[in-house]
Amino acid sequence: DPPDKDKPPFKRYQYGFAVGGPIKKNKSFLFGDVEWTDIRESATIVSTVPTPAYRNGDFRGLGSTIYDPATWNGQERTPFPNNIIPSSRFDRVTNQMRNWWPDPQTAEVTNNFVFNPPRDQDFSKWDIRFDHTLTDTDNFFLRWSNQRQNVAGVPQLPPVQGFGSVSRGGPLVVVSNNAVAAYNKVWTPSVVSGFRFGWNYIDTDDLIHTDVTENINAKLGLVGFSNTLRGSPEMNMSPWRQIGNTN
């Protein structure tokens, strides 16, 4: 974190309860528990973003020559004059997307932007188990467990006016269920058998940021992609932080 900024907050709350007891003495027993964990913290994301000059096509400080691809004659290309790409050559889609990058916070060309978005997490889980003794030599139990994890969206860059959070790190919801049924039998003092059946199910939803409310492809005029789903394709231009959120 920048030394001139306040330390990001961190709070963790964990609570729950458990209860159990006999339903029928020496025969049936029921147990259950519930637990919640709420985490309130901020993430620290360090990114490299292009300078305003780079975003405007001025690469005079790059240290590498930028060539005009339209001048390729089969053997060589002609550099752009003064290493500046004229705005008339900007693609109409990327001309809009380039403004999704914020301005750097420092004069450096790498690791020049620090963002501290909230990273709230809510966890809940519960178990319920039933044990029953059939006879002195056999018994069974049933158990069901559930766990849910809600992770709020953690955008890697600040929201963009008119578009929302067009970067990675959307909300994540994971729900898992587990069930077990078991039967135990004592045949002789030296022979014991156990039969167990288990079932697991996990559902993961990796979502688009909630402040992205429309299909951005249509808004940008980008063809060849979905014009109904929320969000936009992702654009990667190394070494800068990728922008867009896959839909």
Side-chain angles (χ1 to χ4, degrees):
D1 301 320
D4 59 334
K5 302 294 184 180
D6 293 335
K7 186 177 180 179
F10 176 79
K11 297 179 180 179
R12 182 185 181 99
Y13 307 95
Q14 191 168 12
Y15 46 96
F17 66 89
V19 61
I23 298 175
K24 186 175 181 181
K25 186 177 181 179
N26 297 327
K27 275 289 190 180
S28 302
F29 185 87
L30 185 65
F31 172 83
D33 67 85
V34 182
E35 182 180 331
W36 296 272
T37 301
D38 301 328
I39 299 176
R40 299 294 178 263
E41 63 179 352
S42 295
T44 298
I45 301 175
V46 180
S47 300
T48 295
V49 297
T51 65
Y54 287 173
R55 292 211 315 265
N56 291 321
D58 186 347
F59 292 93
R60 284 178 291 183
L62 181 64
S64 300
T65 301
I66 303 298
Y67 292 92
D68 185 349
T71 62
W72 174 248
N73 60 11
Q75 294 183 334
E76 59 182 4
R77 300 165 296 173
T78 303
F80 281 108
N82 298 319
N83 239 25
I84 298 175
I85 302 174
S87 59
S88 60
R89 299 290 300 277
F90 290 179
D91 176 80
R92 62 183 178 86
V93 173
T94 54
N95 189 39
Q96 302 174 74
M97 295 180 70
R98 68 191 174 102
N99 295 315
W100 292 358
W101 279 299
D103 289 337
Q105 297 167 328
T106 70
E108 304 296 328
V109 294
T110 60
N111 298 330
N112 52 11
F113 190 85
V114 178
F115 186 42
N116 293 114
R119 183 171 57 190
D120 298 340
Q121 303 177 64
D122 296 318
F123 301 89
S124 64
K125 55 184 177 181
W126 55 262
D127 305 280
I128 186 169
R129 173 168 169 157
F130 174 73
D131 289 80
H132 183 70
T133 300
L134 298 169
T135 68
D136 291 340
T137 59
D138 57 347
N139 62 76
F140 73 89
F141 76 83
L142 305 171
R143 177 183 58 77
W144 189 288
S145 298
N146 173 276
Q147 181 168 310
R148 182 181 182 91
Q149 175 183 357
N150 291 311
V151 179
V154 186
Q156 297 179 343
L157 294 172
V160 179
Q161 185 175 2
F163 293 95
S165 298
V166 281
S167 60
R168 290 182 180 178
L172 180 68
V173 179
V174 181
V175 179
S176 60
N177 287 279
N178 170 263
V180 175
Y183 171 76
N184 302 301
K185 172 72 174 179
V186 178
W187 299 93
T188 69
S190 59
V191 179
V192 178
S193 64
F195 302 91
R196 181 167 297 193
F197 172 80
W199 172 81
N200 291 281
Y201 178 78
I202 299 178
D203 178 69
T204 301
D205 295 319
D206 194 352
L207 308 173
I208 299 293
H209 293 288
T210 56
D211 62 348
V212 178
T213 60
E214 59 185 333
N215 180 273
I216 298 177
N217 301 333
K219 192 171 183 176
L220 294 175
L222 183 61
V223 298
F225 296 88
S226 170
N227 285 321
T228 57
L229 299 175
R230 290 190 304 119
S232 70
E234 188 175 85
M235 183 170 71
N236 291 273
M237 296 178 64
S238 180
W240 303 317
R241 172 71 69 179
Q242 62 271 4
I243 52 178
N245 38 34
T246 55
N247 59 4

